Amino acid sequence: MRNDFLPFALPDLDDTELQGVAAVLCSGWLTTGPRTREFEAAFAAAVGGPHAVAVNSCTAAMHLALDSVGLKRGDEVITSPYTFAATAEVIRYFDARPVFVDVDPDTLNIRPDLIERAISERTRAIIPVHVAGFPAEMEEIERLAAQHELAVIEDAAHAFPAGWHGRRVGEPLTPNGKPGASGAPWLACFSFYATKTITTGEGGMIVTDSEELADRCRMMALHGISKDAWKRYSADGSWYYEIMAPGYKYNMTDIAAAIGMAQLAKAARMRERREWIARRYSEAFAEVPQLQVPAEITEGVHAWHLYMLRIHQDRFGIDRGRLVQELKERNIGCSVHFIPLHIHPYYRETFGYEADDFPVAYREYQREVSLPIYSRMTDADVDDVIGAVTEVVRRHAR
Ligand SMILES: *Cc1c(COP(=O)(O)O)cnc(C)c1O
């Protein structure tokens, strides 16, 4: 057994982040400024998206995205219950209604056929989540959005870098091969939270093909003011500004952007390492009757933000909670993704949801355990995880 505890997640930081941050501190300009603009341009280029707006979280990004498409009180937004709190809380900010639909048992991504059935007169938008970095079925979702004139806001918190069927997550949806042909408003929101595939400590990015939506997001990210502070105070700027709407305080700092630039430079290397770890895990667990390894992607790039292992409860003498505990006792940090939103007290009490309303989400949650998967893990760390899981499984197999 390992002597030291292997954390579930760790950021991959080195001198490049330190030097980037030091340069910002020495420059005297700490908040949104040239570094943030540089990070936006570099991120947009990395995903192939025309416009990028940096903010201080993916939650803020999704809030601004919903504001930009004009979400109103009483509207409905179709999304997945198999996600983090942020995905649905941003809908509630507008006093709009999150309409959950169930997920695919293999990928744990939202099912387009169920989206179609949930569309009503009040539906305004669809928020698919690319769970673990496995892209959702965007072609089908885009087709529905175009047909019913709905906005699409991708919760891409797990999905940088990722892609499927020739499209990077963050690249405009191209129905019939024509960019923006459907006219459906589209935005993708990324997270740079400390545990995500790249980090700025806290941070997020909105990517869209619409200059108008990008401008609205940029304005609302900084108090609804028509110019940002950098332009106001620099030599060629002016003191004058106008408040166009009661906006928010969601702007990214240049300190965070400097970290982001350093992270971006190694994003491909970090993803390759995660993919290698995922392969090692899946090779080790594929033939174990107690375990189900995550779906592999064909014709695409999996971000491998999470490695979501599942147990076959009927062949296993302990439940998932106990498995997490036994791995912890063997110095392996694990987690669970996700406690479906519809079983949390707020959503149960507000909307009257029951666990079995989304039976796949509920069932898969009960048998899921996320193993550590990050680029700083050594080969020995990976072997330790495999060894610990194998030992616990052997001990409790039935
Ligand atoms: C982490 C996460 C978010 C929120 O990201 P923040 O940057 O922390 O606001 C949203 N959706 C999903 C699926 C996430 O995992």
Side-chain angles (χ1 to χ4, degrees):
M1 187 182 103
R2 289 175 69 92
N3 295 321
D4 60 325
F5 186 72
L6 179 71
F8 171 67
L10 275 181
D12 194 338
L13 305 170
D14 58 41
D15 264 6
T16 58
E17 283 85 4
L18 276 176
Q19 281 162 14
V21 168
V24 170
L25 298 185
C26 293
S27 79
W29 190 272
L30 306 187
T31 184
T32 313
R35 268 322 240 174
T36 304
R37 296 288 100 87
E38 196 184 342
F39 182 43
E40 288 173 340
F43 192 84
V47 297
H51 305 280
V53 180
V55 289
N56 58 16
S57 74
C58 179
T59 309
M62 291 194 294
H63 184 188
L64 295 173
L66 286 173
D67 166 82
S68 76
V69 300
L71 192 70
K72 297 271 183 319
R73 170 180 207 165
D75 287 346
E76 294 177 358
V77 178
I78 300 173
T79 192
S80 167
Y82 210 84
T83 185
F84 182 60
T87 316
E89 81 194 21
V90 294
I91 301 166
R92 295 300 296 143
Y93 292 173
F94 297 84
D95 204 9
R97 184 185 180 99
V99 174
F100 297 128
V101 302
D102 214 348
V103 295
D104 178 271
D106 288 332
T107 63
L108 304 171
N109 281 334
I110 195 164
R111 271 177 52 187
D113 59 324
L114 297 182
I115 294 176
E116 186 158 27
R117 271 196 255 162
I119 293 171
S120 81
E121 298 267 271
R122 289 170 174 247
T123 310
R124 289 279 303 133
I126 306 168
I127 308 184
V129 183
H130 307 297
V131 177
F134 190 124
E137 290 175 59
M138 293 312 299
E139 287 156 0
E140 195 52 24
I141 291 169
E142 167 66 357
R143 191 188 64 73
L144 289 172
Q147 190 183 335
H148 298 272
E149 293 178 28
L150 307 175
V152 177
I153 294 162
E154 296 180 62
D155 181 340
H158 300 181
F160 178 75
W164 203 16
H165 293 165
R167 173 192 170 250
R168 281 170 283 179
V169 175
E171 227 170 348
L173 301 169
T174 56
N176 319 316
K178 284 182 240 146
S182 73
W186 163 79
L187 308 95
C189 300
F190 295 85
S191 175
F192 310 131
Y193 181 66
T195 60
K196 297 281 158 69
T197 57
I198 70 167
T199 186
T200 59
E202 297 277 2
M205 190 76 78
I206 302 156
V207 174
T208 178
D209 56 353
S210 158
E211 187 169 4
E212 196 187 324
L213 296 183
D215 286 349
R216 171 76 185 184
C217 290
R218 195 178 296 286
M219 183 182 82
M220 293 304 278
L222 203 64
H223 305 296
I225 283 176
S226 64
K227 292 177 178 180
D228 68 30
W230 176 52
K231 288 185 196 144
R232 268 186 284 140
Y233 294 121
S234 64
D236 58 344
S238 112
W239 52 268
Y240 187 73
Y241 62 86
E242 288 176 319
I243 299 164
M244 311 305 287
Y248 308 99
K249 187 63 169 67
Y250 283 165
N251 56 306
M252 177 177 277
T253 67
D254 267 19
I255 303 168
I259 302 173
M261 285 299 290
Q263 289 273 293
L264 205 50
K266 53 193 180 191
R269 195 230 340 125
M270 295 194 292
R271 194 205 69 84
E272 272 165 33
R273 178 69 184 165
R274 292 193 303 274
E275 184 166 82
W276 183 85
I277 296 168
R279 291 243 161 87
R280 289 293 317 273
Y281 285 161
S282 288
E283 277 161 24
F285 303 140
E287 305 303 324
V288 178
Q290 284 73 26
L291 301 176
Q292 176 186 326
V293 300
E296 292 271 335
I297 193 167
T298 52
E299 304 166 59
V301 178
H302 194 318
W304 287 114
H305 167 52
L306 299 172
Y307 186 89
M308 303 171 83
L309 190 66
R310 280 171 277 175
I311 60 170
H312 289 296
Q313 192 64 77
D314 52 336
R315 298 173 198 153
F316 212 1
I318 56 172
D319 66 9
R320 183 273 319 279
R322 184 72 210 156
L323 171 61
V324 173
Q325 185 58 34
E326 293 219 4
L327 290 171
K328 192 172 167 199
E329 285 161 11
R330 286 165 178 77
N331 272 336
I332 305 296
C334 293
S335 192
V336 171
H337 297 89
F338 288 94
I339 305 166
L341 296 181
H342 73 286
I343 71 169
H344 286 281
Y346 173 74
Y347 290 99
R348 268 200 339 250
E349 285 158 21
T350 310
F351 300 105
Y353 284 127
E354 316 241 348
D356 286 334
D357 287 348
F358 309 104
V360 177
Y362 184 56
R363 184 188 70 215
E364 299 307 311
Y365 147 67
Q366 288 169 299
R367 61 192 204 94
E368 194 276 347
V369 56
S370 298
L371 302 182
I373 181 165
Y374 47 97
S375 47
R376 273 185 58 191
M377 288 175 71
T378 64
D379 293 7
D381 291 336
V382 177
D383 289 340
D384 288 342
V385 175
I386 293 171
V389 171
T390 306
E391 192 203 321
V392 176
V393 167
R394 198 175 295 141
R395 176 173 297 206
H396 298 287
R398 61 166 201 221

